[in-house]
Amino acid sequence: MSKAIAQIKEEFGQADERQRKDLYERYAQDTRAGVQALIQKYRRQEEALKKERERLALMRTYEEQHRDCRYICGIDEAGRGPLAGPVVAGAVILPADCEILWLNDSKKLSAAKRELLYDEIMEKAEAVGIGMASPARIDEINILQATYEAMRQAVEKLGVTPDLLLNDAVTIPGLDIPQVPIIKGDAKSVSIAAASIIAKVTRDRLMVQYEEVLPGYGFAQHKGYGSREHIEALKKLGATPIHRKTFIGNFIE
């Protein structure tokens, strides 16, 4: 007597990769459409997983090139362009054998996916550091220097001294650690991608908190960037303490 499809579905759901291969063979001749659909579903999932691991292998190229280094740290920032809020930098050291599926440039991920990956990175990373420069500091020394300052802070807060920094496109002045700047590094290095997610989620959460104390600007939605709604609110309500005065001069009288 054939097993019920619900039972077979449960078998597939509980099986690991090796056990699933046995299930494919066992039910290959089962002509029921529901069973064949289950087989195809899990085969597609395995193919997607295979491709994802191949993609991640390419994103570990720079890490593999410098595998003689004990601590390889990825660095990235979030918030260079907004009209309001700080610029935030993330520094992340991942274990050599660390696998975080779907890790990517934070801009290519949904907010929900970034939140999930943030938790996984915090759980699996050997060290994480976060630095930031306030709007007032950005106005004082300019956004580029403020970004460098936030990055140096992030490195200092790691708790360990990296042997190498993999940076998203920049070389950070004032650090004696060897650096490798990588153009579009958040899409080419797992370490930089992890840092980009840490920086982005940290900053986004902060902007949501600002919305609570400074309502009317929509910080939770646009995160301080120059959206139409933000500019209209700025013209109507004026600047707040978290606005960058050097950025908003063209938008207010």
Side-chain angles (χ1 to χ4, degrees):
M1 185 182 213
S2 298
K3 280 188 180 180
I5 293 177
Q7 289 178 291
I8 298 173
K9 182 178 181 180
E10 187 175 352
E11 282 185 303
F12 272 98
Q14 294 178 349
D16 58 25
E17 213 168 313
R18 181 188 59 78
Q19 292 168 332
R20 251 182 234 128
K21 289 180 181 178
D22 295 335
L23 293 176
Y24 294 149
E25 293 179 10
R26 186 185 311 168
Y27 296 113
Q29 305 307 315
D30 192 317
T31 58
R32 288 176 292 176
V35 175
Q36 291 306 308
L38 272 174
I39 291 173
Q40 291 305 312
K41 171 187 173 182
Y42 282 101
R43 285 194 183 281
R44 284 194 299 269
Q45 287 181 359
E46 288 180 2
E47 183 61 26
L49 185 58
K50 177 184 175 184
K51 289 181 179 178
E52 171 61 10
R53 285 180 168 146
E54 290 171 352
R55 185 188 69 84
L56 286 174
L58 289 174
M59 285 185 70
R60 281 192 286 266
T61 299
Y62 288 95
E63 284 80 0
E64 291 299 330
Q65 287 175 357
H66 300 280
R67 192 44 66 193
D68 55 321
C69 296
R70 171 67 179 89
Y71 292 123
I72 299 174
C73 177
I75 306 273
D76 202 6
E77 53 72 30
R80 286 184 67 171
L83 306 179
V87 60
V88 176
V92 176
I93 299 174
L94 296 174
D97 60 350
C98 180
E99 179 182 77
I100 300 177
L101 296 172
W102 319 113
L103 187 62
N104 208 338
D105 170 6
S106 63
K107 296 183 292 296
K108 296 180 179 179
L109 301 167
S110 68
K113 190 65 176 175
R114 286 195 297 267
E115 288 283 346
L116 291 172
L117 286 168
Y118 176 96
D119 291 340
E120 188 171 358
I121 293 164
M122 294 298 284
E123 177 186 344
K124 293 182 176 179
E126 292 201 45
V128 174
I130 298 170
M132 63 181 70
S134 69
R137 187 62 172 160
I138 292 169
D139 288 336
E140 180 183 357
I141 62 175
N142 78 46
I143 185 60
L144 179 59
Q145 295 306 317
T147 299
Y148 290 151
E149 190 170 277
M151 289 177 166
R152 287 191 292 268
Q153 285 180 20
V155 173
E156 290 169 5
K157 291 180 180 178
L158 283 167
V160 298
T161 301
D163 300 300
L164 180 73
L165 302 180
L166 301 180
N167 308 338
D168 187 27
V170 301
T171 299
I172 308 164
L175 291 176
D176 294 330
I177 304 165
Q179 303 181 49
V180 178
I182 304 168
I183 302 298
K184 295 184 178 178
D186 45 9
K188 296 177 181 177
S189 158
V190 290
S191 301
I192 299 176
S196 78
I197 290 168
I198 293 298
K200 175 66 174 166
V201 171
T202 299
R203 189 180 188 281
D204 283 358
R205 290 177 178 178
L206 189 58
M207 295 309 295
V208 170
Q209 292 174 10
Y210 280 136
E211 172 71 12
E212 296 177 2
V213 295
L214 296 167
Y217 293 86
F219 292 133
Q221 285 70 47
H222 54 64
K223 307 303 188 292
Y225 283 86
S227 68
R228 180 175 58 83
E229 293 79 8
H230 186 187
I231 292 169
E232 288 178 356
L234 190 56
K235 290 178 178 179
K236 179 181 177 181
L237 303 173
T240 72
I242 69 161
H243 277 99
R244 305 172 183 179
K245 294 180 175 60
T246 50
F247 280 45
I248 63 173
N250 294 330
F251 302 114
I252 58 175
E253 297 180 358

